[in-house]
Amino acid sequence: MTYLSAAYLLGMPAFAASLIGSSASTVAVEPPAPVPSTAVEVEAIAPSLSDPATEVLDLDQDRNNRFTVPVMVEGMGPFDFMIDTGSQATAVTHQINEGLQLTPFGTATLVGMASRRPVDVVEVSSMTFGSHTVQDLLSPVLDRQHVGADGILGLDSLQDFRVLIDFREDTIAVQDVSTLRRQRQGFEIIVRARQELGQLLITDALVEGVRTTVIIDTGAQASLGNLALRDRIRTQRSQEVVTTDVNGVEMTGRLSYVRSLNLGGLEMQNVSLAFADAPAFEALGLKDTPVISLGMQHLRMFDRVAIDFASQRILFDVPRDVARQLRRQRNRSFNAIAP
């Protein structure tokens, strides 16, 4: 069983587009793990976990192999919320809404991986994770069985922070960017991104040489590409994959392998990728542009991933053996151009 992520809320000023979790099942054979090979541009600017602006929260892995954190909703809880950097909107489930009797705020259209459906929207006066409190949220109400958690902590709750996910320690560090001290340490690769409807989009990734937009989606187990990318790289030997989105609607896509994925100079080989004509990509204006939603399946290749919303950068820390290889590559490149 694999899980994909994509959904958008339309029809309300507060919601322009949001990627939210959806599930998928497949009978495809598990592909070989992607192999990192080379990187050409290395920068080292990282958040310090000893910084007073940093708070480390314990994480639990939910049933979809994604991460959840304890969240208090209007002083009640804690509830298990999924950290979803692919979702613009923070969402609650019907169980929370019914238990807390949240104030209704009309309806909006939820654009999922496979469908568009009207959903209820409620007012949430406060939501607390760690020592951070976010106030006055407008949240869609979703079915827990389609989310896999009590709720979703989306971009509208994370925009003032740098979010660092540490896969080695199974923790998340939430940093207040207004008081964040920048120190040089740690990260091997830093990629600049542009912001679109709350999303940070990496626009210079390459899939088999094709320039591709990448969305970092911690709410998805698997990664998904659109048909524009599939048609450009002409994938072959694909297998059928069936996805179920947050509305509970199924969609059939194709699972294949791409020979290379280059992200910030780091090349991954033999990468498994599902392809589908998802309404979620269209809602972001990316229907005809090659795009990938990069899920936990491939993010776990890295030791740490940080999403810095304020500076519009995404930072990657690779495993130590790969880091040594990157440093050797950098030294060889430096020696080659030295007089």
Side-chain angles (χ1 to χ4, degrees):
M1 180 78 71
T2 59
Y3 297 86
L4 302 177
S5 171
Y8 296 78
L9 273 172
L10 306 175
M12 299 186 64
F15 302 131
S18 66
L19 283 167
I20 300 175
S22 69
S23 61
S25 60
T26 177
V27 295
V29 177
E30 184 69 15
V35 180
S37 57
T38 60
V40 295
E41 183 175 352
V42 177
E43 183 181 358
I45 301 176
S48 170
L49 297 185
S50 61
D51 195 304
T54 299
E55 180 174 11
V56 178
L57 304 176
D58 289 332
L59 289 175
D60 290 324
Q61 294 189 35
D62 71 5
R63 64 182 180 87
N64 301 346
N65 291 322
R66 295 167 294 183
F67 282 143
T68 62
V69 296
V71 172
M72 303 293 291
V73 180
E74 299 194 348
M76 303 298 291
F79 302 99
D80 292 329
F81 273 57
M82 179 176 63
I83 298 288
D84 192 349
T85 59
S87 173
Q88 186 186 17
T90 293
V92 298
T93 55
H94 287 288
Q95 288 81 356
I96 290 180
N97 183 38
E98 293 168 2
L100 301 184
Q101 295 293 299
L102 299 173
T103 303
F105 196 84
T107 62
T109 299
L110 183 70
V111 183
M113 185 74 71
S115 62
R116 291 174 171 84
R117 293 288 186 275
V119 295
D120 292 329
V121 177
V122 295
E123 296 183 58
V124 180
S125 60
S126 67
M127 192 172 289
T128 302
F129 50 99
S131 62
H132 304 291
T133 298
V134 182
Q135 297 178 325
D136 300 326
L137 291 168
L138 297 178
S139 297
V141 182
L142 306 177
D143 288 330
R144 194 185 194 286
Q145 61 179 333
H146 300 142
V147 175
D150 295 321
I152 292 172
L153 206 57
L155 296 178
D156 54 354
S157 296
L158 301 173
Q159 285 295 315
D160 293 334
F161 304 106
R162 171 186 285 180
V163 178
L164 166 62
I165 297 178
D166 190 327
F167 292 104
R168 293 172 299 189
E169 303 295 334
D170 280 351
T171 60
I172 187 167
V174 180
Q175 296 186 298
D176 185 342
V177 295
S178 65
T179 57
L180 178 64
R181 295 184 307 181
R182 290 178 51 169
Q183 299 183 10
R184 300 187 65 85
Q185 68 174 54
F187 288 102
E188 301 293 337
I189 298 171
I190 294 180
V191 180
R192 297 197 178 276
R194 69 176 176 87
Q195 196 166 46
E196 184 72 31
L197 299 175
Q199 301 286 348
L200 288 184
L201 306 178
I202 300 172
T203 57
D204 59 353
L206 296 174
V207 178
E208 295 190 4
V210 175
R211 189 169 296 277
T212 303
T213 297
V214 173
I215 301 167
I216 302 299
D217 190 355
T218 61
Q221 179 186 356
S223 300
L224 180 75
N226 66 351
L227 298 188
L229 175 60
R230 185 202 64 181
D231 295 342
R232 289 286 301 276
I233 63 178
R234 298 180 180 180
T235 60
Q236 299 182 10
R237 296 190 301 175
S238 61
Q239 295 176 284
E240 185 174 286
V241 56
V242 178
T243 67
T244 304
D245 70 5
V246 291
N247 293 319
V249 178
E250 290 187 349
M251 177 183 68
T252 300
R254 306 295 300 184
L255 181 68
S256 186
Y257 312 131
V258 297
R259 293 186 296 272
S260 65
L261 168 59
N262 190 296
L263 187 63
L266 177 68
E267 184 173 290
M268 296 171 276
Q269 300 173 346
N270 301 323
V271 178
S272 64
L273 195 61
F275 294 92
D277 185 17
F281 291 139
E282 182 179 5
L284 269 178
L286 297 172
K287 177 180 175 64
D288 299 320
T289 301
V291 60
I292 292 175
S293 173
L294 199 65
M296 298 292 276
Q297 164 190 15
H298 295 125
L299 293 177
R300 287 180 182 278
M301 289 183 52
F302 302 95
D303 280 356
R304 297 184 300 168
V305 177
I307 302 96
D308 191 331
F309 297 102
S311 64
Q312 297 187 10
R313 299 184 307 170
I314 302 172
L315 307 90
F316 301 91
D317 187 13
V318 298
R320 291 181 179 85
D321 57 337
V322 178
R324 288 193 295 269
Q325 182 180 354
L326 299 184
R327 286 192 289 270
R328 287 195 296 267
Q329 176 72 18
R330 179 184 58 182
N331 292 336
R332 285 195 297 267
S333 299
F334 176 79
N335 292 333
I337 63 175

